[in-house]
Amino acid sequence: MTLDLAAHGAALVCSGVASCCARSGPADGRRERIVASMLMTAAMLDAAALHLAAPIVWAAALLAAAMVSSVTRRWRAGRGGHGVYVPAGLVVMAALIASSMHGDPFSTAAATHAHSGPALTGICAALAVGYTAASAYRMRRGSPTDRAHHAAMGGSTALMALGALL
């Protein structure tokens, strides 16, 4: 087993924990957290093992979900809202999934990745560090299940970034 595969497997475990804990927290945010967690877990599972869809398809689905989440959040709560934690997580995961190289190494996407690899990897690492720090901050408050959800989301993101860097 390679270190890359181990990091993806650990990220999937964290994502599964986050999906299980998504039912915690305020009632108005539960549905959003459940859908986001399940979508991220599905994208990670497919990118790491199944390869049913291209990573760019998952990235587009994650970005679309982030936009829908932001719009519905603003519609429900006005400008004050509950923050951007869930939509930001979807965007960070979309970046990590899009930057992953799975499939045919001689494809056009792989050739493009080879030329822009260091810059894209650096951006993804910076996004992952920022989201992991936000998860650690949010982990300090809330119910134990809420804390577990934020810890699992941060851990999953950090492990996905590690897998992308390997």
Side-chain angles (χ1 to χ4, degrees), residues 43-114:
M44 290 169 55
L45 179 64
D46 187 55
L50 301 176
H51 309 294
L52 298 174
I56 198 67
V57 172
W58 282 111
L62 290 165
L63 289 173
M67 287 187 283
V68 168
S69 174
S70 293
V71 167
T72 57
R73 180 180 294 239
R74 175 145 180 171
W75 178 68
R76 280 193 324 256
R79 289 184 187 256
H82 299 289
V84 295
Y85 183 75
V86 172
L90 289 163
V91 170
V92 171
M93 191 56 64
L96 290 170
I97 294 288
S99 70
S100 66
M101 264 185 53
H102 296 289
D104 183 8
F106 301 106
S107 70
T108 306
T112 304
H113 180 75

Side-chain angles (χ1 to χ4, degrees), residues 11-155:
L12 277 168
V13 168
C14 286
S15 184
V17 169
S19 293
C20 290
C21 296
R23 293 177 159 234
S24 67
D28 62 343
R30 280 188 203 139
R31 187 176 321 137
E32 177 185 50
R33 286 170 56 162
I34 291 168
V35 169
S37 292
M38 296 301 284
L39 186 60
M40 285 190 252
T41 301
M44 290 169 55
L45 179 64
D46 187 55
L50 301 176
H51 309 294
L52 298 174
I56 198 67
V57 172
W58 282 111
L62 290 165
L63 289 173
M67 287 187 283
V68 168
S69 174
S70 293
V71 167
T72 57
R73 180 180 294 239
R74 175 145 180 171
W75 178 68
R76 280 193 324 256
R79 289 184 187 256
H82 299 289
V84 295
Y85 183 75
V86 172
L90 289 163
V91 170
V92 171
M93 191 56 64
L96 290 170
I97 294 288
S99 70
S100 66
M101 264 185 53
H102 296 289
D104 183 8
F106 301 106
S107 70
T108 306
T112 304
H113 180 75
H115 290 98
S116 63
L120 184 59
T121 302
I123 291 168
C124 288
L127 288 171
V129 165
Y131 188 75
T132 303
S135 296
Y137 175 77
R138 291 177 65 100
M139 201 175 64
R140 299 185 331 174
R141 60 180 215 255
S143 69
T145 310
D146 236 8
R147 290 178 182 160
H149 174 76
H150 294 310
M153 290 297 287

